[in-house]
Amino acid sequence: MDLARTEVAPPKARKGSAARLGLMALPVAFFAVFFAYPVAAIVARGLEVDGAWQLGRIGEVLAQSDIRHVLWFTTWQALVSTALTLLIALPGAYVFARFDFRGKQVLRAVVTVPFVLPTVVVGTAFLALVGRGGLLDELWGVRLDTTVWAILLAHVFFNYAVVVRTVGGLWSQLDPRQEEAARMLGASRFAAWRKVTLPALSPAVAAAALMVFLFTFTSFGVVQILGGPTFSTLEVEIYRQTSEIFDLATAAVLTMIQFVAVGAILAVHARTVRRRETALRLVAPEATARRPRGAGQWALLAGVLASIAVLLVLPLGVLVQRSFDAPDGYGFAYYKALTSADGGIFLVAPIEAIGNSLEYALAATAIAVLIGGLAAAALTRRNTGRLVRGFDALLMLPLGVSAVTVGFGFLIALDKPPLDLRASWILVPLAQALVGVPFVVRTMLPVLRAVDGRLREAAAVLGASPWRVWREIDLPMVRRALLIAAGFAFAVSLGEFGATVFIARPDNPTLPVAVARLLGRAGDLNYGQAMALSTILMVVCAVALLVLERVRSDRTGEF
Amino acid sequence: MSTTKKFASVAVGLGLVTLPVLTACGSTDSGGSADSKTVTLVSHDSWAVSKSVLKDFEKQSGYTVKVLKDGDAGQAVNKAILTKDNPQGDVFFGVDNTLLSRALDNGLFQSYEARGADQILPEYRVDQDKHRVTPIDSGDICVNYDKAYFSEHKLTPPQSFDDLIKPEYKNLLVTENASTSSPGLGFLLGTAAKYGDGGWQDYWKKLKANGVKVVDGWEQAYNDEFSGSAGGKKAKADRPLVVSYASSPPAEVIYADPKPTTAPTGVVNGTCFRQVEYAGLLSNAKNTKGGKALLDFLVTKEFQQDMPLNMFVYPVVKGAVVPAEFTKFGPQAKDPETMAPAKIADNRDQWVKSWTSLVLK
């Protein structure tokens, strides 16, 4: 038996890795053509003069005190934002994981809405919470607009869902009986939690923290809208240098700095994720959640619900309220105005942005699921080579690279046949898919890896081809994860603004682009329509996420 | 068939499914104006025209117009410069006097004197020897005021730059970041034109001492901070003075339902800086003939008279009639500050830098 094994194994392994490379061909090509090449092109445009690389510029840029200040601010605000998000969202993760209460599914969808909404939409609403005349102002006379607090709180608002979904998802599947057993053996409640639950949970907490750090490190809209002009992150500075000052050399240096930083974050993230995927005894979430018992647990639930209401629901509610607050009383006046094309800013009625957004998002989802699905399938085996593992982190890079860099890169890189796509509609879904792929991979990968390898081996021994093994074993088990991945990619595409705004065409703006254009004009009707469109976008995202809640399976990866 | 081959064929198959989709979309809609029947206009997000007016041009000239809006004004100009060897279109519209030198120095445009250019008012003409750009419209960046606030507080609205630093207007003004916002930059240039190279910094010190608030962009200043705008009212904004456009008051009337009889906001006349927007034939335009026809069209009376209610700007040709509702609520500033594009080009970066360290730090 052993002899036979050694004889068969090596060629089989080689075949397996060849197959994996085959699966990776398309994701690699996609990533190279639509991400690496455009970004490299715009960086080269900034740093290459007459064929010679101006690497001296790196030192020059870093020597500027302004730039060093930006780097410092970018880092510390991300650290503080991450800490604050964990502080506020971890109790939420616990409550969602362990407690059963009415409206839990709806609420889990609602807290995810901010994450997929563009900042251009909610920045304004968030001001209503922390700005003048906002809730804090009315209660205590506290105004936080153009302070760093507004930025930090808004980061909690946007990233709450990352913690609840990443940590809460795992927490709900940890067997509570293990902790109970430890207590039975005499451990105190805290000691039991520290020795049993915390170690199991910490990789998930670390992964969530790193994702939040990544999103806040590259924060753009929040810092611009809420922080005022005195605060600038690396991402804002890249935008300013590229788009306003047109100093492409400085922008290129900053892009490279951000690239290195994001690469480092992702490398650490990839490591923690792998640690998390080590075998844990997981149980169905339904079995671990129960109704809260005792005053303490009810108080915790109430506290979490209150923080969600104030931090997350209230800003969203303000959007809805303003969308109905027409000059002649509450009503649908702004929504009706959306159907008229007389506004001037658009060649079509603003309402058509909904159709555009849905079409773009569907196309983006199809691309993201195809590319991300193939990549996840290729990455399934845990003991793969370093090259393949690095690819896992590489696919997440678009999340951390400035949209203006990608947008300008598209413009100068994809301008020649056969890839003259600059004026093509497919550019928008392609850009959106870049952001969607990481979510597909992160959702699919843990599920695929959780499929018992022995099932595959058994099928193979019985003579099934790899394709058949995948179809008969993997597909049925990952169908739900696939749906969830698609749903998330869809919601993220709907809200994508940064890259879309660069390439969306005037006759078919997406919802976020239309909102931004309406906000860019004076007049009550423009403002009201912007609020109405934002509300519609919010509802569409919420519905998509609610559908996801319905199909959530026992083990659904990170989201 | 070996398993490897099968996998490879699956991957290739999937590739084949997607590629035709990409190329199909690419070829039907590729950039530029390869066919001579289409002329492509590249502009910024504020471009707007009445459908009927554009149809008229298409009917008379036989060209179909394709429009590409490329972000805000600065972004659009930068993108046009980046792509000038293989431009996205034939004509670029929307480079203003604050960015004109950047466009000209980078060789964005080729010479063409539009038919009808002799009808353009002399004060707007630039680049007369080479005719690389044609002035299309003008607009004024001015401080706007909230009429209700000033009548409630029985306070006379300010009249000039000088007034803004008076104690009675303390903490009332909100403006935009001069390095990221074009009205913010316009306001800075207005003060530089008014007080000179030496005096504007002193003026801004006083403005800062008088509590001017700076936010990043026009949207935040106007919709969130300015008490006179529709958004500001809902946001309980508390700044009754904002740096915006002379055309914002008519917009407040025109984009209101029901329409008020007077504008809720007014313009502080002595604080205006004139912006002029130009269009030009792109250097490597594929359809130069169509581009020239389009430029000719942009200075016709038909188009010029259509602009005010679409883009909220003033025409620049002799005898163009501006709609009454536009002039009534937003008369053109009488004596705006101006500055030669060359002077702006020489000083802009340095001024913005000094302004940033003076006002934001």
Side-chain angles (χ1 to χ4, degrees):
Chain A
M1 211 38 203
D2 274 330
L3 261 179
R5 242 194 129 94
T6 41
E7 266 171 85
V8 173
K12 209 176 167 189
R14 224 181 299 137
K15 250 187 218 166
S17 63
R20 262 203 304 281
L21 287 179
L23 282 175
M24 267 169 66
L26 196 60
V28 168
F30 176 82
F31 187 82
V33 173
F34 297 115
F35 180 71
Y37 171 50
V39 171
I42 190 74
V43 168
R45 186 70 156 247
L47 281 183
E48 205 183 21
V49 179
D50 303 324
W53 285 86
Q54 310 286 304
L55 294 178
R57 288 305 302 258
I58 299 176
E60 273 172 47
V61 170
L62 283 173
Q64 294 171 33
S65 65
D66 289 6
I67 298 292
R68 284 211 307 274
H69 180 79
V70 166
L71 283 173
W72 164 239
F73 176 74
T74 306
T75 310
W76 86 254
Q77 66 80 24
L79 280 172
V80 177
S81 295
T82 305
L84 203 61
T85 307
L86 286 178
L87 190 74
I88 296 178
L90 277 179
Y94 176 76
V95 162
F96 276 106
R98 287 293 195 235
F99 291 165
D100 238 346
F101 52 93
R102 278 175 75 116
K104 183 165 138 179
Q105 277 188 343
V106 177
L107 205 59
R108 190 168 20 216
V110 166
V111 300
T112 314
V113 168
F115 183 73
V116 296
L117 277 189
T119 39
V120 59
V121 170
V122 276
T124 310
F126 209 75
L127 268 178
L129 175 65
V130 299
R132 112 221 37 84
L135 188 80
L136 295 178
D137 193 9
E138 266 167 23
L139 289 178
W140 302 295
V142 178
R143 282 179 57 173
L144 300 175
D145 48 330
T146 67
T147 70
V148 74
W149 283 102
I151 297 176
L152 298 178
L153 283 177
H155 282 162
V156 176
F157 170 75
F158 276 101
N159 295 305
Y160 192 92
V162 176
V163 177
V164 166
R165 288 188 171 255
T166 313
V167 181
L170 182 67
W171 210 332
S172 64
Q173 295 166 62
L174 290 180
D175 196 338
R177 280 169 305 186
Q178 291 179 328
E179 211 180 298
E180 280 157 23
R183 293 199 59 199
M184 218 91 94
L185 295 170
S188 70
R189 184 184 281 256
F190 178 70
W193 182 80
R194 196 170 55 92
K195 294 254 169 73
V196 177
T197 307
L198 189 63
L201 215 53
S202 60
V205 175
L210 281 160
M211 281 327 281
V212 175
F213 186 80
L214 173 72
F215 292 135
T216 53
F217 187 82
T218 57
S219 182
F220 177 70
V222 163
V223 177
Q224 262 212 324
I225 296 171
L226 295 172
T230 41
F231 298 107
S232 186
T233 54
L234 203 46
E235 182 100 357
V236 172
E237 198 59 27
I238 291 171
Y239 172 83
R240 227 166 58 87
Q241 297 288 349
T242 311
S243 206
E244 307 292 334
I245 302 173
F246 204 47
D247 183 347
L248 292 182
T250 302
V253 173
L254 296 178
T255 300
M256 282 161 64
I257 295 172
Q258 180 153 329
F259 219 81
V260 170
V262 168
I265 298 169
L266 289 176
V268 180
H269 180 263
R271 282 180 70 98
T272 58
V273 163
R274 266 198 302 282
R275 265 206 296 151
R276 190 161 63 107
E277 281 157 8
T278 50
L280 283 170
R281 263 193 52 207
L282 298 178
V283 294
E286 298 79 43
T288 67
R290 51 180 172 69
R291 289 186 67 75
R293 264 176 278 169
Q297 293 194 346
W298 279 108
L300 179 65
L301 177 61
V304 165
L305 292 181
S307 69
I308 289 175
V310 171
L311 259 177
L312 286 102
V313 178
L314 199 74
L316 298 178
V318 167
L319 282 183
V320 180
Q321 182 254 326
R322 286 188 186 169
S323 76
F324 289 107
D325 185 12
D328 43 0
Y330 280 87
F332 286 93
Y334 295 137
Y335 289 85
K336 278 187 200 126
L338 289 174
T339 56
S340 136
D342 306 335
I345 321 175
F346 301 105
L347 305 174
V348 292
I351 196 91
E352 291 187 22
I354 299 170
N356 295 333
S357 260
L358 292 176
E359 280 171 33
Y360 281 140
L362 281 174
T365 305
I367 299 170
V369 167
L370 174 68
I371 303 291
L374 283 174
L379 294 166
T380 301
R381 274 287 174 92
R382 220 171 291 169
N383 48 350
T384 46
R386 188 167 288 174
L387 196 82
V388 178
R389 278 191 272 132
F391 188 65
D392 180 8
L394 209 62
L395 280 172
M396 311 231 340
L397 261 182
L399 289 181
V401 171
S402 145
V404 66
T405 305
V406 178
F408 271 56
F410 269 19
L411 206 62
I412 60 165
L414 305 179
D415 67 333
K416 284 174 263 322
L419 277 172
D420 184 4
L421 300 175
R422 286 184 314 187
S424 160
W425 71 272
I426 195 77
L427 216 47
V428 174
L430 281 172
Q432 293 175 345
L434 271 181
V435 190
V437 166
F439 292 100
V440 175
V441 175
R442 291 258 63 82
T443 309
M444 299 287 296
L445 201 50
V447 183
L448 279 170
R449 282 186 179 160
V451 175
D452 195 333
R454 282 170 300 187
L455 276 175
R456 293 198 190 100
E457 278 163 28
V461 167
L462 293 171
S465 68
W467 169 242
R468 182 128 184 245
V469 171
W470 191 81
R471 208 183 52 206
E472 306 271 340
I473 308 277
D474 293 64
L475 187 62
M477 301 185 86
V478 299
R479 199 177 281 139
R480 282 180 156 203
L482 203 62
L483 266 175
I484 289 175
F488 225 87
F490 180 74
V492 169
S493 304
L494 270 184
E496 209 288 329
F497 176 69
T500 308
V501 72
F502 276 90
I503 44 197
R505 293 208 323 229
D507 46 343
N508 42 14
T510 64
L511 278 169
V513 170
V515 169
R517 282 194 192 149
L518 284 164
L519 283 176
R521 281 213 160 179
D524 177 65
L525 268 180
N526 291 325
Y527 186 82
Q529 288 184 72
M531 295 298 125
L533 268 189
S534 302
T535 304
I536 291 173
L537 174 59
M538 206 165 75
V539 170
V540 175
C541 285
V543 168
L545 292 166
L546 209 57
V547 173
L548 292 195
E549 289 302 325
R550 292 268 163 207
V551 296
R552 261 167 77 93
S553 62
D554 302 350
R555 201 188 154 109
T556 51
E558 240 164 83
F559 290 93
Chain B
M1 206 186 207
S2 82
T3 42
T4 319
K5 271 190 190 153
K6 269 186 200 165
F7 262 104
S9 65
V10 169
V12 169
L14 286 170
L16 288 179
V17 173
T18 45
L19 269 181
V21 177
L22 295 184
T23 46
C25 302
S27 57
T28 49
D29 252 343
S30 62
S33 309
D35 65 303
S36 55
K37 282 281 150 252
T38 305
V39 57
T40 305
L41 175 77
V42 186
S43 186
H44 50 57
D45 281 342
S46 307
W47 160 266
V49 59
S50 297
K51 261 184 194 160
S52 57
V53 172
L54 202 60
K55 279 264 150 60
D56 280 352
F57 168 71
E58 291 185 331
K59 216 191 283 165
Q60 283 159 21
S61 65
Y63 292 110
T64 311
V65 179
K66 210 169 100 182
V67 181
L68 283 175
K69 291 201 218 182
D70 246 347
D72 69 31
Q75 237 170 57
V77 172
N78 293 349
K79 284 163 120 180
I81 293 172
L82 269 180
T83 55
K84 74 171 189 267
D85 295 336
N86 179 14
Q88 292 182 283
D90 307 303
V91 171
F92 183 88
F93 161 80
V95 55
D96 66 21
N97 43 337
T98 66
L99 291 171
L100 184 61
S101 295
R102 185 185 289 171
L104 293 182
D105 293 348
N106 279 287
L108 188 56
F109 300 115
Q110 54 178 297
S111 290
Y112 172 67
E113 186 175 8
R115 206 187 314 152
D118 55 325
Q119 291 302 302
I120 293 167
L121 294 163
E123 66 258 39
Y124 297 114
R125 296 182 191 170
V126 290
D127 199 38
Q128 281 302 292
D129 45 337
K130 292 191 186 145
H131 294 293
R132 287 169 295 182
V133 287
T134 311
I136 305 296
D137 67 75
S138 88
D140 296 321
I141 290 164
C142 310
V143 171
N144 283 204
Y145 67 95
D146 173 7
K147 285 180 180 167
Y149 177 92
F150 285 97
S151 70
E152 261 169 47
H153 291 74
K154 303 206 166 42
L155 191 64
T156 337
Q159 306 289 319
S160 63
F161 284 119
D162 280 339
D163 282 356
L164 295 175
I165 51 176
K166 289 185 178 161
E168 59 260 45
Y169 304 116
K170 195 173 171 72
N171 296 334
L172 299 190
L173 175 66
V174 58
T175 185
E176 298 87 359
N177 186 352
S179 76
T180 51
S181 146
S182 84
L185 177 64
F187 188 58
L188 166 62
L189 293 175
T191 62
K194 167 88 181 170
Y195 298 102
D197 301 359
W200 70 263
Q201 300 204 10
D202 196 43
Y203 175 77
W204 275 93
K205 272 180 208 154
K206 289 178 184 153
L207 207 54
K208 193 182 178 186
N210 211 28
V212 65
K213 179 172 187 174
V214 186
V215 295
D216 226 48
W218 180 89
E219 287 82 357
Q220 289 96 299
Y222 196 83
N223 292 328
D224 293 328
E225 304 287 340
F226 176 48
S227 61
S229 70
K233 275 178 208 134
K234 285 180 189 158
K236 303 193 191 95
D238 60 359
R239 298 257 162 181
L241 295 172
V242 66
V243 172
S244 185
Y245 298 92
S247 59
S248 302
E252 287 290 350
V253 176
I254 291 157
Y255 289 117
D257 189 22
K259 290 195 197 334
T261 48
T262 58
T265 58
V267 163
V268 179
N269 248 309
T271 59
C272 297
F273 176 79
R274 180 146 297 172
Q275 245 182 341
V276 181
E277 282 192 300
Y278 309 90
L281 187 60
L282 287 164
S283 285
N284 296 297
K286 289 176 191 75
N287 184 358
T288 44
K289 238 177 125 187
K292 286 173 179 174
L294 186 57
L295 271 175
D296 295 345
F297 166 68
L298 295 182
V299 291
T300 58
K301 264 197 189 143
E302 185 185 15
F303 178 79
Q304 289 276 318
Q305 297 184 154
D306 182 60
M307 287 187 315
L309 292 182
N310 278 297
M311 288 192 273
F312 287 81
V313 289
Y314 270 85
V316 294
V317 303
K318 286 173 198 158
V321 182
V322 177
E325 54 188 327
F326 195 71
T327 42
K328 187 178 162 202
F329 302 112
Q332 212 170 7
K334 294 228 167 51
D335 198 10
E337 305 293 341
T338 55
M339 200 181 279
K343 180 161 187 190
I344 298 175
D346 290 343
N347 295 292
R348 183 187 51 227
D349 292 351
Q350 192 45 50
W351 282 348
V352 168
K353 239 185 191 152
S354 328
W355 179 89
T356 304
S357 53
L358 193 73
V359 182
L360 296 184
K361 288 184 180 145

